[in-house]
Amino acid sequence: MLPSLQHFIGKSLKQLPTPCLIIDEKAYQKNLLLMKQQSTTKVNIRPHFKAHKCPSIAKDQLEKGGAIGVCCQKLSEAIEAVKTVDDVFISNQIVSIDKLKIIKQLNTIPNKQISLCVDNEQVISLIDQIMSEDNESNTLQNTLQNNLQNNLQLEKDYKKKLSLVVEYNVGQNRCGTNSHEETLHLINFIKNNCKNVVFKGLHCYNGANQHIVNYNERKEAVRKVIEKTQHLIEYLSKNNILINYVTGGGTGTWEFEAASGIFTEIQPGSYLFGDVDYGRVFTKNGKKMFSLLKEEEENFNKNLKESDANFVQSLFILTTVISKTIENDRFVVDVGLKGVSLDSGVPLLENLEMREMLTDYKAGGDEHGIFEALLGNEGSKEWIKSNIKIGDVLKLIPGHVDPTFNMYDNVAFYDSESQLVTRVEEISARGPGI
C-alpha cells in the first residue's frame, strides 16, 4: 500500500507520488483575501463546495475568506460540508424520498442551517410531507451519523422548518421556473399550503455566462440576468411578496451580480484555484482573470482593492516524465484520463518556456500524457534533449477545477518558496455523488 500523503508533510514537493493534486499555499491565501476584500462590502459570499469537495478548504473560506456558508450541488457534498460549515444551501433539485429524508436528518443538527432549491409544486408538497414525519431511528439515521463528526449529533425528536429557495430560470434553460406567474404560484404555495417549510428567497444563476471570454460581452450577458431578476422582484412586490435573498453568480461574473443592488449573495467556486478555461477569460482592463504567482507578485498588494486585480493560479497537477524517445521528439508523463479533465480543454504546462517549445498536452490513454516537439522545429528537439530527463517532475494547470478535484482522494499544499509540502487535506466528497 502506498504511504499516506500525510507522510510527505515537510518534505520536498518533488517527492510526492505522482500524479498528485497540489495547491500553492501562498497563491491560495491571496485568492481568499482578494475575494473577501472585493466583494464582502457589497454582498455575502457563499462559495461552491462542489469546486473542491473538501471540508477543510470550506473551513478556510469561512474563517479567512469571508464566506457565510457554502452551496452544494449534491446531497453527498452537503453531508461532508456540514462537518465544518453551519450554513449549507443545496443549490440543486433533490426529488427522491430517500434523499429528502436525509436532508430532513441534516436539518435536525443543532446550529446548522440547511436550505434547498425547488422549482416544482409536487416536490414542494413531498418535502413538506417528509418534514412533518417523525424522525426515523433506523439505518438511514445511523449511516448519516457515521459520516458526521462526533460533535455533530442528529436530534431524534428535534423538528425545524426547512428553508426553500425557488429557482428562477434566467437564461440557462436548465432548472427553474419560467415565468413570473409560475414563480409567484410556488411562493404562495409554500407560504399558504405548507406547514413544515419556509420560503427563503430566489436562486438566479446562469452558468453559461461564467466563461464568456470577452469582458463586455460577459457584462452584457449578466446585465440581462440582472434585468430579468429585477423584473421578477418588482412583479412579486406588486403581489405582496418581498424578496430579501437573491443568490447566484460565479467566478466569471460575480463582480456584476455583486454591484447590481439586486443580488444579496454570490456563488464563486473556481476563484480559489484557477484553471485553463478561466485562464482564457479577460477582465475589464484586458488582463487575464488568472495569472501565475510570479507574474502577479509585484503588483498584487497594490491592486488588491482594485476591481481588475487578478486571481492567482494556485491549483496544479504534479506529474513525472516516465519516457522519452532517443530522437528527442516526444516524451510521456504519468497522468492520463484518470487524472486530468479534458471537458474544458487540455491541461497546460505551468512553465511558460515549455509551452513555447512543445505541443499541447495530448491524452495517451488512461495513465499517459504526451508532449511532442514542434513539427519541423529542430530547436524544439534540441530543447527536449537538453531540458527534459526521465524522472523530471512537472506542474500542469488543470483544464477544469471541479472534475479535476473529483479524481483525487487528497490535495497537498506546498510553500512556493521552500517547495516543501505544508499540509494535506482530504477530498472527502469526491465521486459522482448522490
Side-chain angles (χ1 to χ4, degrees), residues 44 66-67 87 135 155 179 187 198 247 300 333 336 367 373 400 414:
N44 289 323
D87 190 336
N135 287 326
E155 297 291 340
S179 69
I187 296 172
V198 293
T247 183
F300 189 89
V333 294
E367 296 88 13
H400 188 179
Y414 70 97

Side-chain angles (χ1 to χ4, degrees), residues 140-172:
L140 180 66
Q141 179 175 328
N142 295 334
T143 300
L144 179 57
Q145 183 63 71
N146 289 337
N147 280 300
L148 300 175
Q149 295 172 335
N150 291 332
N151 63 328
L152 295 180
Q153 296 296 319
L154 303 174
E155 297 291 340
K156 179 180 177 182
D157 299 320
Y158 178 67
K159 290 185 178 180
K160 179 173 59 178
K161 290 185 178 182
L162 181 68
S163 295
L164 300 183
V165 179
V166 173
E167 181 165 11
Y168 180 55
N169 178 16
V170 289
Q172 191 163 9

